[in-house]
Amino acid sequence: MRALMLTIAAAGLAFAAVPAAAAGDAQTCAVAPVKLRTLAAGADADTARKAERNIALGEALCDARNRSEAAKKFNLAAKSLGTELAAVMSTETSASVQ
């Protein structure tokens, strides 16, 4: 009986996490291409070309509503640029007035 209750509780937590993951994927589709292209601009030509190919594939997958596969392509682009997608997404950009 306890095992059944634990299984039901775990299933409930898994379903509760799905909307949060979907929201994160939607944010990835909106923000990752811009940030990755900014990083690619400073990379050498071959690395930038590889990253751009994965960024474009990721955008196409986002348009096809396959956000989990798009995130994988964005992660590949980030890795080719020498970083991780999580690090790219966590960096804040701000402008300062002087």
PDB file of all heavy atoms in Angstrom, residues 5 46 64:
ATOM      1  N   MET A   5       1.062   4.374  -2.748  1.00  0.00           N
ATOM      2  CA  MET A   5       0.912   5.781  -2.382  1.00  0.00           C
ATOM      3  C   MET A   5       2.117   6.593  -2.835  1.00  0.00           C
ATOM      4  O   MET A   5       1.976   7.712  -3.326  1.00  0.00           O
ATOM      5  CB  MET A   5       0.711   5.925  -0.870  1.00  0.00           C
ATOM      6  CG  MET A   5      -0.594   5.300  -0.376  1.00  0.00           C
ATOM      7  SD  MET A   5      -2.033   6.067  -1.111  1.00  0.00           S
ATOM      8  CE  MET A   5      -2.145   7.524  -0.134  1.00  0.00           C
ATOM      9  N   ASP A  46      35.036  29.039 -38.467  1.00  0.00           N
ATOM     10  CA  ASP A  46      34.577  27.645 -38.498  1.00  0.00           C
ATOM     11  C   ASP A  46      33.665  27.335 -37.318  1.00  0.00           C
ATOM     12  O   ASP A  46      32.611  26.717 -37.476  1.00  0.00           O
ATOM     13  CB  ASP A  46      35.781  26.695 -38.513  1.00  0.00           C
ATOM     14  CG  ASP A  46      35.376  25.250 -38.728  1.00  0.00           C
ATOM     15  OD1 ASP A  46      34.544  25.002 -39.635  1.00  0.00           O
ATOM     16  OD2 ASP A  46      35.885  24.373 -38.000  1.00  0.00           O
ATOM     17  N   ALA A  64       8.457  24.328 -35.110  1.00  0.00           N
ATOM     18  CA  ALA A  64       7.690  23.086 -35.254  1.00  0.00           C
ATOM     19  C   ALA A  64       7.163  22.591 -33.898  1.00  0.00           C
ATOM     20  O   ALA A  64       6.615  21.500 -33.821  1.00  0.00           O
ATOM     21  CB  ALA A  64       8.553  22.018 -35.904  1.00  0.00           C
TER      22      ALA A  64
END
